[in-house]
Amino acid sequence: MLSLIDTIRRRGGIARGPDLQRLGFTRTALARAVRAGTVDRLRDGVFAAGPIVPDVRAAVTHGGALTCASVLMEQRIWVLPEVAGPHVWLGAGRHGRAHPDCACVPHYYRGSPPLGRADLETALLHLRLCAGDEAFFAAFESAWRQRLLPVAARRRIREALPASARWLVDLARHDADSGLESLLRLRLHLIGLRLESQVRIVGVGRVDFVVDRLIIEVDGRENHDGETQRHRDLVRDTAAARLGYRTLRFDYAQVVHDWPSVQAAILAALRGV
Ligand SMILES: [Zn+2]
Ligand SMILES: [Zn+2]
């Protein structure tokens, strides 16, 4: 005989009541399992068993599916800004349900939320609606770099975007080292600067960006060994200077929180000021 708990677990820990009934589990059996505490009723007609990611549990309990930044961050895709609370796809015109400890960020985007979580492509499209073009672009490049977006997926995402936003996909590359690189390239593109990315310079190594004789490096790394890294950077900058390059370096806080200074410094360097 089928075990109710095993059946729900095999479906990823969440199952709809009608599907379980089709497999022979009666309403009475489901109600009994809920009373016994072996199965949870997350909302009307949706049951859970076994371990479930807390954000997914919250999203389903709230009446929708996990999506947007929450799904992307689960897959270690770079998301800006950092988000708090599960982003929940409810579908257009649907209302969320109150539940204890709710920190959900509801999204009323069209379509029918699946059970559990939205797929990666949907989550990326939702991120653009939720957090804007920059966030979408950086996450898209991050997902591509991690080989999560084969060509067919990129094409589908492009098609699903409004025509006015498709250039974001056309500008994207697979080799951005960090979300900061993505942001910097996008922002400089918007003021008409065309950068070469991931350029190998003999005697220096691979640098993030080159425009004219200016090298731009962004430091998206975390927890690197400060002193050793600083020494390596100085050696590289010296080698580049000997070849006639000037190097500007920016970190996360500068790119994210003080972009006007970063842009002004780059433009001034290019003017030779
Ligand atoms: Zn909630
Ligand atoms: Zn969102």
mmCIF file with all atom_site columns, all heavy atoms in Angstrom, residues 91-102:
data_model
loop_
_atom_site.group_PDB
_atom_site.id
_atom_site.type_symbol
_atom_site.label_atom_id
_atom_site.label_alt_id
_atom_site.label_comp_id
_atom_site.label_asym_id
_atom_site.label_entity_id
_atom_site.label_seq_id
_atom_site.pdbx_PDB_ins_code
_atom_site.Cartn_x
_atom_site.Cartn_y
_atom_site.Cartn_z
_atom_site.occupancy
_atom_site.B_iso_or_equiv
_atom_site.pdbx_formal_charge
_atom_site.auth_seq_id
_atom_site.auth_comp_id
_atom_site.auth_asym_id
_atom_site.auth_atom_id
_atom_site.pdbx_PDB_model_num
ATOM 1  N N   . GLY A 1 91  ? -0.191 35.513 -8.644  1.00 0.00 ? 91  GLY A N   1
ATOM 2  C CA  . GLY A 1 91  ? -1.029 35.602 -9.831  1.00 0.00 ? 91  GLY A CA  1
ATOM 3  C C   . GLY A 1 91  ? -1.816 36.906 -9.772  1.00 0.00 ? 91  GLY A C   1
ATOM 4  O O   . GLY A 1 91  ? -1.930 37.525 -8.713  1.00 0.00 ? 91  GLY A O   1
ATOM 5  N N   . ALA A 1 92  ? -2.336 37.323 -10.924 1.00 0.00 ? 92  ALA A N   1
ATOM 6  C CA  . ALA A 1 92  ? -3.045 38.599 -10.977 1.00 0.00 ? 92  ALA A CA  1
ATOM 7  C C   . ALA A 1 92  ? -4.360 38.495 -10.217 1.00 0.00 ? 92  ALA A C   1
ATOM 8  O O   . ALA A 1 92  ? -5.087 37.519 -10.340 1.00 0.00 ? 92  ALA A O   1
ATOM 9  C CB  . ALA A 1 92  ? -3.286 38.987 -12.427 1.00 0.00 ? 92  ALA A CB  1
ATOM 10 N N   . GLY A 1 93  ? -4.636 39.491 -9.431  1.00 0.00 ? 93  GLY A N   1
ATOM 11 C CA  . GLY A 1 93  ? -5.948 39.588 -8.805  1.00 0.00 ? 93  GLY A CA  1
ATOM 12 C C   . GLY A 1 93  ? -6.216 38.615 -7.672  1.00 0.00 ? 93  GLY A C   1
ATOM 13 O O   . GLY A 1 93  ? -7.341 38.518 -7.195  1.00 0.00 ? 93  GLY A O   1
ATOM 14 N N   . ARG A 1 94  ? -5.199 37.877 -7.262  1.00 0.00 ? 94  ARG A N   1
ATOM 15 C CA  . ARG A 1 94  ? -5.448 36.949 -6.145  1.00 0.00 ? 94  ARG A CA  1
ATOM 16 C C   . ARG A 1 94  ? -4.969 37.557 -4.845  1.00 0.00 ? 94  ARG A C   1
ATOM 17 O O   . ARG A 1 94  ? -4.054 38.369 -4.834  1.00 0.00 ? 94  ARG A O   1
ATOM 18 C CB  . ARG A 1 94  ? -4.749 35.612 -6.403  1.00 0.00 ? 94  ARG A CB  1
ATOM 19 C CG  . ARG A 1 94  ? -5.576 34.724 -7.297  1.00 0.00 ? 94  ARG A CG  1
ATOM 20 C CD  . ARG A 1 94  ? -4.842 33.457 -7.633  1.00 0.00 ? 94  ARG A CD  1
ATOM 21 N NE  . ARG A 1 94  ? -4.378 32.726 -6.475  1.00 0.00 ? 94  ARG A NE  1
ATOM 22 C CZ  . ARG A 1 94  ? -3.567 31.669 -6.562  1.00 0.00 ? 94  ARG A CZ  1
ATOM 23 N NH1 . ARG A 1 94  ? -3.136 31.269 -7.723  1.00 0.00 ? 94  ARG A NH1 1
ATOM 24 N NH2 . ARG A 1 94  ? -3.189 31.029 -5.488  1.00 0.00 ? 94  ARG A NH2 1
ATOM 25 N N   . HIS A 1 95  ? -5.587 37.154 -3.775  1.00 0.00 ? 95  HIS A N   1
ATOM 26 C CA  . HIS A 1 95  ? -5.214 37.710 -2.484  1.00 0.00 ? 95  HIS A CA  1
ATOM 27 C C   . HIS A 1 95  ? -4.368 36.719 -1.696  1.00 0.00 ? 95  HIS A C   1
ATOM 28 O O   . HIS A 1 95  ? -4.613 35.523 -1.746  1.00 0.00 ? 95  HIS A O   1
ATOM 29 C CB  . HIS A 1 95  ? -6.462 38.062 -1.676  1.00 0.00 ? 95  HIS A CB  1
ATOM 30 C CG  . HIS A 1 95  ? -7.259 39.148 -2.323  1.00 0.00 ? 95  HIS A CG  1
ATOM 31 N ND1 . HIS A 1 95  ? -6.820 40.451 -2.371  1.00 0.00 ? 95  HIS A ND1 1
ATOM 32 C CD2 . HIS A 1 95  ? -8.438 39.125 -2.974  1.00 0.00 ? 95  HIS A CD2 1
ATOM 33 C CE1 . HIS A 1 95  ? -7.702 41.187 -3.016  1.00 0.00 ? 95  HIS A CE1 1
ATOM 34 N NE2 . HIS A 1 95  ? -8.697 40.401 -3.409  1.00 0.00 ? 95  HIS A NE2 1
ATOM 35 N N   . GLY A 1 96  ? -3.416 37.255 -0.976  1.00 0.00 ? 96  GLY A N   1
ATOM 36 C CA  . GLY A 1 96  ? -2.629 36.409 -0.100  1.00 0.00 ? 96  GLY A CA  1
ATOM 37 C C   . GLY A 1 96  ? -3.428 36.042 1.146   1.00 0.00 ? 96  GLY A C   1
ATOM 38 O O   . GLY A 1 96  ? -4.454 36.653 1.444   1.00 0.00 ? 96  GLY A O   1
ATOM 39 N N   . ARG A 1 97  ? -2.946 35.019 1.825   1.00 0.00 ? 97  ARG A N   1
ATOM 40 C CA  . ARG A 1 97  ? -3.617 34.580 3.051   1.00 0.00 ? 97  ARG A CA  1
ATOM 41 C C   . ARG A 1 97  ? -2.747 34.955 4.244   1.00 0.00 ? 97  ARG A C   1
ATOM 42 O O   . ARG A 1 97  ? -1.524 34.831 4.181   1.00 0.00 ? 97  ARG A O   1
ATOM 43 C CB  . ARG A 1 97  ? -3.821 33.063 3.026   1.00 0.00 ? 97  ARG A CB  1
ATOM 44 C CG  . ARG A 1 97  ? -4.680 32.585 1.876   1.00 0.00 ? 97  ARG A CG  1
ATOM 45 C CD  . ARG A 1 97  ? -4.572 31.082 1.685   1.00 0.00 ? 97  ARG A CD  1
ATOM 46 N NE  . ARG A 1 97  ? -5.044 30.324 2.839   1.00 0.00 ? 97  ARG A NE  1
ATOM 47 C CZ  . ARG A 1 97  ? -4.265 29.736 3.728   1.00 0.00 ? 97  ARG A CZ  1
ATOM 48 N NH1 . ARG A 1 97  ? -2.958 29.826 3.614   1.00 0.00 ? 97  ARG A NH1 1
ATOM 49 N NH2 . ARG A 1 97  ? -4.774 29.058 4.728   1.00 0.00 ? 97  ARG A NH2 1
ATOM 50 N N   . ALA A 1 98  ? -3.402 35.383 5.286   1.00 0.00 ? 98  ALA A N   1
ATOM 51 C CA  . ALA A 1 98  ? -2.662 35.704 6.510   1.00 0.00 ? 98  ALA A CA  1
ATOM 52 C C   . ALA A 1 98  ? -2.102 34.414 7.115   1.00 0.00 ? 98  ALA A C   1
ATOM 53 O O   . ALA A 1 98  ? -2.745 33.364 7.056   1.00 0.00 ? 98  ALA A O   1
ATOM 54 C CB  . ALA A 1 98  ? -3.592 36.387 7.501   1.00 0.00 ? 98  ALA A CB  1
ATOM 55 N N   . HIS A 1 99  ? -0.908 34.481 7.622   1.00 0.00 ? 99  HIS A N   1
ATOM 56 C CA  . HIS A 1 99  ? -0.361 33.328 8.337   1.00 0.00 ? 99  HIS A CA  1
ATOM 57 C C   . HIS A 1 99  ? 0.660  33.837 9.347   1.00 0.00 ? 99  HIS A C   1
ATOM 58 O O   . HIS A 1 99  ? 1.176  34.954 9.204   1.00 0.00 ? 99  HIS A O   1
ATOM 59 C CB  . HIS A 1 99  ? 0.259  32.310 7.356   1.00 0.00 ? 99  HIS A CB  1
ATOM 60 C CG  . HIS A 1 99  ? 1.386  32.847 6.542   1.00 0.00 ? 99  HIS A CG  1
ATOM 61 N ND1 . HIS A 1 99  ? 2.707  32.700 6.879   1.00 0.00 ? 99  HIS A ND1 1
ATOM 62 C CD2 . HIS A 1 99  ? 1.396  33.563 5.388   1.00 0.00 ? 99  HIS A CD2 1
ATOM 63 C CE1 . HIS A 1 99  ? 3.473  33.277 5.966   1.00 0.00 ? 99  HIS A CE1 1
ATOM 64 N NE2 . HIS A 1 99  ? 2.704  33.820 5.055   1.00 0.00 ? 99  HIS A NE2 1
ATOM 65 N N   . PRO A 1 100 ? 0.963  33.058 10.353  1.00 0.00 ? 100 PRO A N   1
ATOM 66 C CA  . PRO A 1 100 ? 1.895  33.527 11.380  1.00 0.00 ? 100 PRO A CA  1
ATOM 67 C C   . PRO A 1 100 ? 3.264  33.854 10.790  1.00 0.00 ? 100 PRO A C   1
ATOM 68 O O   . PRO A 1 100 ? 3.704  33.197 9.839   1.00 0.00 ? 100 PRO A O   1
ATOM 69 C CB  . PRO A 1 100 ? 1.994  32.338 12.346  1.00 0.00 ? 100 PRO A CB  1
ATOM 70 C CG  . PRO A 1 100 ? 0.789  31.505 12.070  1.00 0.00 ? 100 PRO A CG  1
ATOM 71 C CD  . PRO A 1 100 ? 0.443  31.714 10.629  1.00 0.00 ? 100 PRO A CD  1
ATOM 72 N N   . ASP A 1 101 ? 3.929  34.845 11.327  1.00 0.00 ? 101 ASP A N   1
ATOM 73 C CA  . ASP A 1 101 ? 5.295  35.226 10.932  1.00 0.00 ? 101 ASP A CA  1
ATOM 74 C C   . ASP A 1 101 ? 5.410  35.548 9.444   1.00 0.00 ? 101 ASP A C   1
ATOM 75 O O   . ASP A 1 101 ? 6.429  35.247 8.824   1.00 0.00 ? 101 ASP A O   1
ATOM 76 C CB  . ASP A 1 101 ? 6.294  34.105 11.270  1.00 0.00 ? 101 ASP A CB  1
ATOM 77 C CG  . ASP A 1 101 ? 6.271  33.772 12.747  1.00 0.00 ? 101 ASP A CG  1
ATOM 78 O OD1 . ASP A 1 101 ? 6.133  34.710 13.550  1.00 0.00 ? 101 ASP A OD1 1
ATOM 79 O OD2 . ASP A 1 101 ? 6.372  32.577 13.091  1.00 0.00 ? 101 ASP A OD2 1
ATOM 80 N N   . CYS A 1 102 ? 4.382  36.141 8.873   1.00 0.00 ? 102 CYS A N   1
ATOM 81 C CA  . CYS A 1 102 ? 4.426  36.435 7.433   1.00 0.00 ? 102 CYS A CA  1
ATOM 82 C C   . CYS A 1 102 ? 5.359  37.610 7.166   1.00 0.00 ? 102 CYS A C   1
ATOM 83 O O   . CYS A 1 102 ? 5.189  38.690 7.719   1.00 0.00 ? 102 CYS A O   1
ATOM 84 C CB  . CYS A 1 102 ? 3.022  36.773 6.931   1.00 0.00 ? 102 CYS A CB  1
ATOM 85 S SG  . CYS A 1 102 ? 3.020  37.278 5.197   1.00 0.00 ? 102 CYS A SG  1
#
